[in-house]
Amino acid sequence: MLASSVVAGGLVGLAISFRNLPDVRVLRNYIPSETSYIYDINGTLLDSMHDEANREVVALNEVSPDLKRAVLAIEDSFFYSHQGINPSGIGRAFVANLQAGSTVQGGSTITMQLVKNLFLTPETSISRKIVEAVLAMRIEQVFEKNEVLQLYLNQVYWGHNTYGVETAAKSYFNKSAKDLTLAESAMMAGIIQAPEDYSPFVDYQIAKQRQAVVLARMQKLQWITPEAAAAARAQPLQLGQITSFGESQAPYVTDAVIKELTEQFGEDAVLKGGMRVQTTIDLNLQRIAEDTVRRSYNTTFGGGAYADEIALVAIDPRTHFVKAMVGGVDYSKSQFNRAIQSRRQPGSAFKPFVYYAAFASGRYTPSSTIADTPVSYPDGYETYSPRNYDGSFRGSMPLRTALEQSRNVPAIKLGQSVGINRIIEICRALGIESPIDPVISLPLGAVDLTPMEMAGAYATFANYGWHSKPTVIVQVTDSHGRVILDNTPKPQLVLDPWASAALTNVLQGVIAQGTGTAAQIGRPAAGKTGTTDSQRDVWFVGYVPQLATAVWVGNDDYRPLGRGAT
């Protein structure tokens, strides 16, 4: 009586479970979590982004026929003849498990495995097995066999945080799933049962043994000839490498890309949406920038004796595409991206904004004279008396000379002449978004700006006043190639071309015979040095028609760099 009650209760519970089973039709709209990829401007992979599943989805016709046959041979050779469950397979597994006293065979069809991966927990109870079988039969009533196989191949786990056939093929053999040979296909199929144990990255000999098992099964099924099996066993295999835990080739860049995408599309879309992101970065230039920063840190700045950090941004003036970005000396020690996140005073590197305002006003040319003489201005309850870097005054001089020698007093006088608010307007037109206070000392760089803002503004000078918003992303597509973000430049003329050309001509003089002679490169180049009075920040921003680059040097804790560190 007690036994019958238990059986009856179990049947009632099972019936309730069946009634509460998920609707398999939701798979019609199922989109597997898919890895997103970040590339440089030339298509070189920089990084990949994914949550728990590193996956790239492909259609069934993009999978090698050898791999499809290999998987079916070892996992479910009756796949195309059963209706979701294979009673004889379950029977063989039951006998084997009974004899072994433990679970040594699963007896699951590919459809049942798909159900387990998508809908169920990994437990191995009898009731769960029954639910698995019921759902498998329901799936096969709704989906065609090829649809089920495609879902399975894109869903299955292949080890090393690699999901799906395409990602696994690229990891194990550095090629797409459609290009796998019979030998490679058999090895990959053999991995499925215990990916971390049978992986050739873990134990190549065990992986070869599993490959032989799969080839033998394919031969027994007469899906391949004995000669083909022997050739596959003898074929040398060139393994790839574990890709799902790789490091970014340009971590400061990819961090900036991920931040921008996350703000626009959300974290889930970035980590699971299979985006293909083409960045503006040229990896060759990026390498040069990183090497230059590292070398300068170790030599010029004494490996930290003067400064603990350097940041660099290089922008193409013609497109305002960021070609290189270095956010710090060593990403492994500090992930803070000073190129876009750190606002520091630009010092005299701000003066070109003032001189441009003067030239654009129509009242000044590079040859106009200005007095480098003592002056004082009321500033609240006090008087502000600007001083030059060397403490001297040199009398009347052309604006060209004043900027070449980076004289402070002429810059302050020009600022008062053209108006501080006008200078701020120009900064806004150049894409500078950081807060700017209308203080008298603004022409000397009394404002906190990022290297990205400085490089972007100077790039507009280099392009004769044509400005686009600086970006690190050219285009983003989804995994099907549909464009979801297009940053094709839309340049606007925001500055007076004549005034921009006049400024460029003067800034060429800064490098030819002014404070920036160390930046001479053997052809005309424009630029400006910048050092704050407190010696906390040192800048150089320079450009040629094809590239504008801003470099900042300093300490994160605002310690002075030391006297003379210009």
Side-chain angles (χ1 to χ4, degrees):
M1 188 73 171
L2 179 61
S4 61
S5 297
V6 170
V7 171
L11 290 174
V12 169
L14 210 52
I16 293 172
S17 295
F18 289 169
R19 194 167 66 239
N20 294 328
L21 289 181
D23 186 349
V24 298
R25 289 174 296 183
V26 300
L27 291 181
R28 286 277 178 216
N29 301 314
Y30 171 66
I31 301 175
S33 172
E34 190 172 356
T35 302
S36 294
Y37 296 93
I38 303 176
Y39 302 91
D40 87 334
I41 191 76
N42 299 311
T44 302
L45 182 65
L46 298 179
D47 201 3
S48 59
M49 306 170 286
H50 53 82
D51 57 354
E52 76 288 346
N54 179 30
R55 178 188 288 113
E56 185 173 345
V57 176
V58 293
L60 189 61
N61 62 10
E62 296 177 65
V63 178
S64 160
D66 284 330
L67 182 61
K68 285 182 274 192
R69 283 192 289 265
V71 170
L72 291 175
I74 198 66
E75 292 295 324
D76 187 359
S77 57
F78 294 96
F79 174 72
Y80 280 100
S81 59
H82 63 62
Q83 302 301 313
I85 62 171
N86 183 4
S88 60
I90 293 174
R92 284 195 304 272
F94 178 77
V95 172
N97 294 340
L98 195 63
Q99 291 173 343
S102 62
T103 302
V104 293
Q105 281 188 30
S108 293
T109 65
I110 274 178
T111 317
M112 293 170 73
Q113 291 182 48
L114 182 64
V115 165
K116 180 177 67 176
N117 290 340
L118 292 178
F119 294 117
L120 304 176
T121 61
E123 65 170 310
T124 55
S125 65
I126 296 294
S127 61
R128 201 223 62 175
K129 271 301 201 188
I130 295 173
V131 167
E132 188 179 292
V134 170
L135 284 176
M137 289 187 288
R138 288 187 182 179
I139 281 179
E140 298 239 357
Q141 290 169 351
V142 175
F143 294 92
E144 303 217 355
K145 285 288 187 179
N146 283 349
E147 292 177 313
V148 175
L149 184 57
Q150 177 174 304
L151 276 168
Y152 173 81
L153 289 174
N154 280 305
Q155 185 65 34
V156 70
Y157 179 58
W158 247 292
H160 308 294
N161 198 38
T162 300
Y163 292 78
V165 61
E166 181 72 1
T167 312
K170 288 181 176 178
S171 178
Y172 284 114
F173 298 110
N174 197 30
K175 59 173 65 173
S176 291
K178 69 179 186 299
D179 299 322
L180 292 173
T181 65
L182 174 59
E184 294 161 344
S185 298
M187 180 171 282
M188 269 189 56
I191 293 170
I192 294 175
Q193 194 176 101
E196 310 294 359
D197 296 328
Y198 296 155
S199 163
F201 295 141
V202 175
D203 192 323
Y204 184 77
Q205 292 307 314
I206 288 180
K208 283 292 289 182
Q209 292 170 16
R210 287 294 297 167
Q211 178 201 48
V213 170
V214 174
L215 290 169
R217 176 64 178 162
M218 295 177 77
Q219 182 180 332
K220 183 177 181 180
L221 291 167
Q222 296 186 345
W223 291 358
I224 58 172
T225 64
E227 292 77 16
R233 281 192 294 270
Q235 180 190 324
L237 295 180
Q238 183 68 44
L239 293 181
Q241 58 184 352
I242 297 173
T243 57
S244 52
F245 305 105
E247 295 182 356
S248 168
Q249 293 211 61
Y252 284 117
V253 171
T254 51
D255 278 2
V257 170
I258 293 169
K259 180 177 181 293
E260 185 172 329
L261 291 176
T262 301
E263 289 173 354
Q264 186 150 355
F265 297 103
E267 186 175 12
D268 267 9
V270 174
L271 295 180
K272 302 178 182 179
M275 291 178 172
R276 305 296 188 266
V277 185
Q278 183 189 24
T279 70
T280 60
I281 298 298
D282 183 323
L283 189 57
N284 294 325
L285 289 180
Q286 179 69 23
R287 290 280 177 266
I288 293 171
E290 291 173 355
D291 291 345
T292 301
V293 165
R294 197 175 300 113
R295 188 170 62 251
S296 299
Y297 177 75
N298 291 330
T299 57
T300 309
F301 299 100
Y306 293 103
D308 62 21
E309 283 301 343
I310 304 174
L312 180 153
V313 178
I315 291 177
D316 186 335
R318 299 162 296 185
T319 59
H320 276 73
F321 283 170
V322 178
K323 308 307 293 181
M325 175 195 296
V326 184
V329 173
D330 188 342
Y331 182 85
S332 66
K333 294 180 180 177
S334 173
Q335 290 77 55
F336 182 60
N337 191 342
R338 294 152 193 87
I340 58 175
Q341 293 177 295
S342 181
R343 290 189 173 104
R344 303 293 292 244
Q345 288 199 356
S348 293
F350 188 85
K351 289 174 182 173
F353 303 117
V354 181
Y355 279 77
Y356 165 80
F359 298 152
S361 72
R363 294 183 285 123
Y364 295 93
T365 71
S367 300
S368 301
T369 58
I370 193 164
D372 180 13
T373 54
V375 66
S376 296
Y377 299 97
D379 187 15
Y381 295 104
E382 300 177 351
T383 299
Y384 173 62
S385 302
R387 291 169 48 82
N388 290 308
Y389 183 76
D390 61 3
S392 70
F393 297 96
R394 298 182 182 174
S396 181
M397 63 177 61
L399 263 60
R400 177 187 300 278
T401 303
L403 186 54
E404 286 176 355
Q405 298 180 3
S406 197
R407 306 299 288 175
N408 290 343
V409 174
I412 291 291
K413 289 182 175 180
L414 273 183
Q416 290 299 299
S417 174
V418 300
I420 297 297
N421 287 330
R422 174 59 183 148
I423 296 170
I424 295 174
E425 287 174 10
I426 290 167
C427 291
R428 298 303 182 215
L430 289 167
I432 293 174
E433 297 177 352
S434 293
I436 305 177
D437 292 327
V439 295
I440 298 173
S441 57
L442 179 63
L444 305 186
V447 60
D448 295 329
L449 303 177
T450 67
M452 176 71 83
E453 288 176 316
M454 291 295 287
Y458 272 63
T460 304
F461 293 143
N463 202 27
Y464 299 102
W466 288 93
H467 178 80
S468 300
K469 184 176 181 181
T471 181
V472 291
I473 298 173
V474 177
Q475 188 182 77
V476 181
T477 62
D478 63 17
S479 57
H480 301 290
R482 291 185 292 258
V483 177
I484 56 178
L485 178 64
D486 183 0
N487 281 341
T488 299
K490 300 178 179 63
Q492 294 181 304
L493 187 62
V494 300
L495 300 181
D496 177 82
W498 178 89
S500 300
L503 177 66
T504 295
N505 182 263
V506 174
L507 292 178
Q508 287 174 343
V510 171
I511 291 178
Q513 62 264 345
T515 59
T517 54
Q520 292 177 1
I521 57 173
R523 63 186 174 105
K528 185 68 187 76
T529 54
T531 309
T532 57
D533 281 345
S534 53
Q535 309 286 325
R536 290 190 174 96
D537 302 279
V538 169
W539 293 75
F540 179 78
V541 193
Y543 57 88
V544 291
Q546 303 82 9
L547 200 67
T549 302
V551 179
W552 166 85
V553 180
N555 292 302
D556 285 338
D557 61 4
Y558 291 89
R559 280 182 295 112
L561 278 72
R563 185 128 187 100
T566 56

